[in-house]
């Protein structure tokens, strides 16, 4: 499960456990419970059974021939995480962590959410296991992802709007951490991405790594070879790390993470932590971070709420510095265009987050920069974004 | 050399308190809130009002260990344009007329962003005696922790109600100047009552700690100060002072400070 670099919660120099002292015992308890669970065949069997019967795994790896024609590169495969129950990869992690919380005897679950997909996936797992669920969500995201707010409430979760700071994912995470510090005795915090203090980046990666394990097996079966290029969008980076991990040891496979350039690199309105940030400490770990000269965290921006975060998972920072993965970026406009294009080409409406990965493949393919086979993690479905993008089309674009 | 502190100013202050059987008063101030001029006036007044150590807080954009009051003061200070350099400047100004021990309270990122060596140099030059990083628990980053603890600055550590006994001993031994006991699981903020177990817990920390124990989080009133002063070596008051600064300005905050100082003088540390 682990390699030497993560023994101390470190990926190279990144990661760690920079949190208030109050949380240290809970993180120790979580790390120990997770290690014990990973050694328990009963736990692993329960995760596998729920993955199959409830989440709907394995998800298909689908060859997107019309999209290939658009992008000028072939073959292109889409790893259909949008077909998971609740419509995104997030549930891979929430089912696993909720089971872990049950093992630890913690009846109350909290989570942060940006796009609302992690909130919905957490609320779903809590409904399934009959646990109390509180989800923190920035007020800006409550507005632009209103469908997911309603879904969470239907599932029995309490959605607490967060009106501080930039009113997005960063601030929702601050508020979830404050709740955890206060209620740590009976509460487990299901972090939604490969971020946060050790052991969260490791746990979330391990529960998401099923994406890449399946994709690797599926493409070998379909093509008889490994992909040349594996692509995923990166906010915190959970679908990307889940997709990349199985390929990390395959030297011939190029790993490409696509960040949100928002209104364009250099505009001061981006979420491209790896492209434009420098190492810093936020939410418990050292990683690339958008910040000013004094170390104040800079407000992030992206049209995709799930990418609208100034930090990134520490393992991605490590992959950037070692060169194991390459990180590029795509702006709001190109992502919206890809969001509008894929439905007509393939009959699939992608999430705006995912659309960043699709947009980059289209651009890079047309420029002849990438080789097939290409495997893209189609991390989520776009129903949640339809109303928002329709509104942008009506004249708000670029505002 | 002007600005360079005499070694162990915090330890000397606690030794003097212990000799006089008095409990210490440790006010926290968010630097730059509502303006740097307010902070200059406030810290000078606190030194005169009998503060034993001043915690001078560098405002941070994402104060995850703080409740609504200090979130508001931090954001207010940043909105007013406060920089880390300004915080050191306030301290250097205080040093022209006061030798009250000052601990720089900060989240870690403003420290690592500056480069820890540069941060230490500027803090020492400004006249700081210690540093209290709220998100650098013991063992989190041994290299960074050594650089701070081997510097002229005292590295003040925190112990929480959730910290297990073996670790309480380790933290108390590693802490420099004093050790900060967090009065409750949760974030900072004024409260109407302290927890009943607090006196016993603070006593347990004192029993194993080679350095003085200050207690903070939720200490808001003269009554709280008396309770803490009877159980620990010092009381830390932050949010209540910020709240009073909002409602009564610097004059109001200093009136509360004097009230708390007097309350602490009515009890003797157990």
């Amino acid at each position: 499960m682990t390699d030497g670099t993560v023994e101390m919660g470190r990926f190279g120099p990144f990661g760690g456990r920079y949190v208030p002292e109050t949380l240290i015992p809970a993180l120790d308890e979580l790390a120990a419970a997770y290690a014990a669970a990973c050694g328990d065949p009963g736990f692993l069997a329960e995760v596998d059974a729920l993955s199959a019967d409830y989440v709907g795994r394995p998800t298909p790896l689908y060859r997107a021939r019309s999209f290939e024609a658009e992008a000028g590169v072939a073959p292109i495969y889409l790893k259909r995480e949008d077909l998971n129950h609740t419509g995104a990869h997030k549930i891979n992690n929430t089912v696993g962590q909720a089971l872990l919380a049950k093992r630890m005897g913690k009846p109350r679950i909290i989570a942060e959410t940006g796009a609302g997909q992690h909130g919905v996936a957490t609320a779903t797992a809590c409904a399934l296991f009959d646990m109390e669920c509180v989800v923190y969500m920035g007020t800006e995201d409550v507005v632009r992802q209103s469908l997911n707010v309603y879904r969470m409430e239907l599932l029995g979760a309490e959605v607490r709007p967060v009106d501080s700071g930039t009113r997005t994912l960063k601030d929702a995470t601050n508020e979830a951490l404050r709740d955890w510090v206060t209620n740590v005795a009976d509460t487990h915090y299901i972090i939604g991405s490969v971020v946060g203090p050790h052991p969260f980046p490791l746990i979330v990666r391990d529960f998401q790594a099923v994406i890449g394990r399946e994709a690797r097996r599926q493409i070998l079966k379909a093509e008889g070879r490994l992909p040349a290029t594996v692509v995923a969008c990166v906010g915190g980076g959970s679908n990307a790390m889940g997709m990349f991990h199985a390929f990390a040891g395959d030297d011939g496979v190029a790993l490409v993470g696509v960040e949100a350039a928002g209104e364009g690199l250099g505009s001061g309105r981006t979420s491209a932590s790896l492209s434009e940030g420098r190492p810093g400490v936020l939410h418990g770990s050292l990683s690339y971070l958008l910040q000013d000269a004094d170390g104040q965290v800079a407000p992030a921006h992206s049209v995709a709420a799930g990418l609208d975060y100034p930090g990134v998972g520490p393992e991605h920072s490590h992959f950037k510095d070692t060169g194991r993965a390459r990180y590029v970026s795509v702006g709001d406009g190109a992502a919206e265009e890809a969001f509008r294009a894929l439905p007509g080409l393939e009959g699939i409406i992608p999430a705006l987050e995912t659309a960043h990965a699709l947009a980059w493949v289209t651009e890079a393919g047309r420029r002849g920069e990438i080789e097939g086979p290409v495997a893209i993690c189609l991390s989520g479905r776009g129903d949640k974004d339809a109303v928002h993008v329709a509104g942008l089309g009506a004249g708000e674009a670029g505002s | 050399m002007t600005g360079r502190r005499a070694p162990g100013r915090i330890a000397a202050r606690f030794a003097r308190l212990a000799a006089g059987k008095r409990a210490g008063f440790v006010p926290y101030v968010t630097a730059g809130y509502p303006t740097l001029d307010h902070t200059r006036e406030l810290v000078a007044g606190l030194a005169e009002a009998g503060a034993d150590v001043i915690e001078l807080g560098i405002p941070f954009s994402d104060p995850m260990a703080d409740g609504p009051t200090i979130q508001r003061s931090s954001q207010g200070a940043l909105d007013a344009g406060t920089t880390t350099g300004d915080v050191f400047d306030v301290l250097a100004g205080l040093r022209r007329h006061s030798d009250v021990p000052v601990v720089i309270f900060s989240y870690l990122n403003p420290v690592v962003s500056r480069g820890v060596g540069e941060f230490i140099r500027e803090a020492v030059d400004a006249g700081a005696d210690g540093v209290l990083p709220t998100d650098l628990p013991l063992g989190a980053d041994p290299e960074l922790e050594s650089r701070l603890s081997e510097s002229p600055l005292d590295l003040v550590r925190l112990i929480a109600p959730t910290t297990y006994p073996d670790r309480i001993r380790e933290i108390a031994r590693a802490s420099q100047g004093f050790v900060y006991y967090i009065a409750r699981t949760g974030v900072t903020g004024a409260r109407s009552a302290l927890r009943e177990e607090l006196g016993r817990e603070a006593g347990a920390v004192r029993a194993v700690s080679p350095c003085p124990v200050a207690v903070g989080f939720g200490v808001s009133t003269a009554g709280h100060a008396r309770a803490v002063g009877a159980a620990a070596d010092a009381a830390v008051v932050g949010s209540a002072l910020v709240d009073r600064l909002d409602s009564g300005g610097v004059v109001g905050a200093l009136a509360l400070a004097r009230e708390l100082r007097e309350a602490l003088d009515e009890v003797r540390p157990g």
Side-chain angles (χ1 to χ4, degrees):
Chain A
M1 166 189 88
T2 62
D3 57 50
T5 56
V6 294
E7 283 302 313
M8 295 291 289
R10 295 279 174 179
F11 304 93
F14 299 106
R17 198 181 258 190
Y18 300 96
V19 292
E21 172 63 25
T22 309
L23 293 179
I24 292 294
L27 293 170
D28 281 346
E29 180 192 6
L30 178 60
Y34 180 59
C38 288
D40 176 356
F43 176 80
L44 300 175
E46 199 172 355
V47 172
D48 285 348
L50 282 164
S51 288
D53 304 334
Y54 189 72
V55 176
R57 304 207 69 91
T59 57
L61 185 76
Y62 161 74
R63 183 167 175 185
R65 291 175 191 272
S66 302
F67 182 58
E68 286 170 4
E70 279 289 301
V73 57
I76 295 175
Y77 287 88
L78 304 177
K79 179 58 176 165
R80 298 290 309 276
E81 291 301 297
D82 59 317
L83 294 178
N84 284 325
H85 179 43
T86 72
H89 69 291
K90 294 293 187 185
I91 198 163
N92 299 328
N93 170 48
T94 62
V95 164
Q97 283 206 49
L99 275 173
L100 202 54
K102 255 178 68 175
R103 275 175 77 97
M104 291 190 292
K106 305 231 174 182
R108 180 173 179 270
I109 296 293
I110 57 171
E112 84 296 336
T113 199
Q117 290 302 115
H118 175 59
V120 167
T122 303
T124 299
C126 290
L128 179 65
F129 298 127
D130 194 23
M131 299 167 104
E132 185 188 344
C133 181
V134 173
V135 179
Y136 290 92
M137 188 170 191
T139 48
E140 182 174 331
D141 295 335
V142 166
V143 171
R144 59 181 166 173
Q145 304 286 334
S146 54
L147 173 63
N148 276 341
V149 174
Y150 184 61
R151 291 169 77 197
M152 286 184 266
E153 288 170 351
L154 270 180
L155 290 159
E158 180 194 344
V159 179
R160 293 193 187 162
V162 177
D163 204 32
S164 59
T166 53
R167 302 179 177 89
T168 57
L169 181 54
K170 168 182 83 94
D171 309 284
T173 307
N174 287 335
E175 212 50 43
L177 283 163
R178 291 182 187 118
D179 180 313
W180 203 32
V181 168
T182 307
N183 300 299
V184 63
D186 71 345
T187 299
H188 176 64
Y189 177 17
I190 301 189
I191 283 188
S193 192
V194 286
V195 300
H198 175 69
F200 282 112
L202 184 68
I203 292 177
V204 178
R205 179 199 75 191
D206 288 352
F207 284 133
Q208 293 294 359
V210 65
I211 303 172
R213 279 199 306 273
E214 287 176 6
R216 193 174 184 282
R217 193 173 64 233
Q218 288 164 324
I219 201 161
L220 281 172
K221 190 174 174 207
E223 290 288 318
R225 57 177 170 156
L226 288 169
T229 314
V230 171
V231 186
C233 65
V234 177
S238 69
N239 92 84
M241 195 49 69
M243 183 73 173
F244 290 173
H245 199 250
F247 297 102
D250 299 320
D251 291 340
V253 178
L255 306 176
V256 182
V258 185
E259 296 192 292
E263 294 175 11
L265 293 186
S267 69
R269 298 263 300 156
T270 85
S271 298
S273 332
L274 291 159
S275 305
E276 293 196 307
R278 61 192 171 89
V281 173
L282 178 69
H283 298 149
S285 63
L286 178 71
S287 197
Y288 277 83
L289 178 66
L290 296 176
Q291 55 184 313
D292 71 10
D294 253 2
Q296 306 296 342
V297 179
H301 165 79
S302 169
V303 69
L307 304 183
D308 194 343
Y309 183 68
V312 66
E315 195 165 13
H316 285 294
S317 291
H318 183 51
F319 277 8
K320 172 189 163 80
D321 279 13
T322 59
R324 181 59 195 96
R326 173 182 168 209
Y327 295 90
V328 297
S329 63
V330 159
D332 289 347
E336 285 158 24
E337 201 176 308
F339 174 89
R340 290 192 178 94
L342 195 71
L345 292 170
E346 299 290 350
I348 297 169
I349 303 173
L352 263 176
E353 290 77 14
T354 312
H356 287 71
L358 300 167
W360 183 80
V361 169
T362 308
E363 291 173 5
R366 285 173 184 168
R367 288 193 302 260
E369 281 177 15
I370 51 171
E371 280 177 51
V374 178
I376 304 171
C377 184
L378 199 102
S379 54
R381 57 191 285 170
D383 309 43
K384 68 185 180 64
D385 298 308
V387 170
H388 189 69
V389 175
L392 294 174
E396 289 180 9
S399 65
Chain B
M1 268 172 73
T2 55
R4 192 157 282 277
R5 72 183 174 111
R9 192 150 48 193
I10 297 173
R13 177 66 65 126
F14 274 103
R16 212 164 80 206
L17 285 167
K21 296 199 180 340
R22 295 174 71 216
F25 172 46
V26 183
Y28 160 89
V29 174
T30 304
Y33 180 75
T35 71
L36 287 164
D37 283 340
H38 285 84
T39 306
R40 287 190 187 94
E41 200 184 331
L42 184 57
V43 293
L46 287 169
E48 281 179 20
D52 294 294
V53 177
I54 293 175
E55 273 187 29
L56 187 60
I58 296 177
F60 183 52
S61 54
D62 295 83
M64 70 171 172
D66 284 299
T69 300
I70 294 177
Q71 288 175 43
R72 190 176 70 244
S73 64
S74 301
Q75 194 56 52
L78 292 173
D79 290 347
T82 309
T83 66
T84 305
D86 291 334
V87 181
F88 292 139
D89 188 57
V90 165
L91 174 51
L94 176 70
R95 279 287 168 258
R96 287 189 213 109
H97 54 82
S98 172
D99 67 351
V100 62
V102 173
V103 168
I104 301 288
F105 172 98
S106 185
Y107 284 83
L108 199 55
N109 202 48
V111 179
V112 300
S113 166
R114 216 163 191 81
V116 65
E118 176 62 16
F119 184 92
I120 291 166
R121 192 186 64 72
E122 286 185 60
V124 170
D125 282 352
D129 300 283
V131 59
L132 196 169
T134 183
D135 48 356
L136 183 65
L138 184 72
D141 192 329
E143 190 191 328
L144 181 57
E145 292 168 77
S146 314
R147 290 191 68 185
L148 289 169
S149 63
E150 288 163 14
S151 81
L153 300 172
D154 284 333
L155 174 56
V156 179
R157 304 283 196 167
L158 298 112
I159 293 172
T162 53
T163 308
Y164 26 79
D166 287 354
R167 189 169 160 88
I168 288 177
R169 270 188 292 276
E170 277 178 58
I171 296 172
R173 271 201 283 265
S175 198
Q176 296 171 317
F178 63 95
V179 66
Y180 188 135
Y181 185 69
I182 299 170
R184 60 156 189 269
T185 55
V187 293
T188 59
R191 290 292 187 278
S192 53
L194 298 175
R195 290 157 52 242
E196 274 180 24
E197 311 88 320
L198 181 58
R200 185 182 49 75
E201 291 169 2
V205 174
R206 277 184 98 210
V208 300
S209 177
C211 61
V213 178
V215 171
F217 276 45
V219 182
S220 317
T221 66
H224 297 168
R226 278 190 290 271
V228 169
D233 299 290
V236 185
V237 180
S239 298
L241 280 169
V242 174
D243 285 337
R244 190 64 74 87
L245 185 62
D246 283 338
S247 62
V250 172
V251 172
L254 291 177
L256 176 61
R258 280 188 292 271
E259 194 186 318
L260 294 164
R261 176 66 271 178
E262 281 163 24
L264 286 163
D265 278 330
E266 289 164 20
V267 294
R268 302 198 154 198

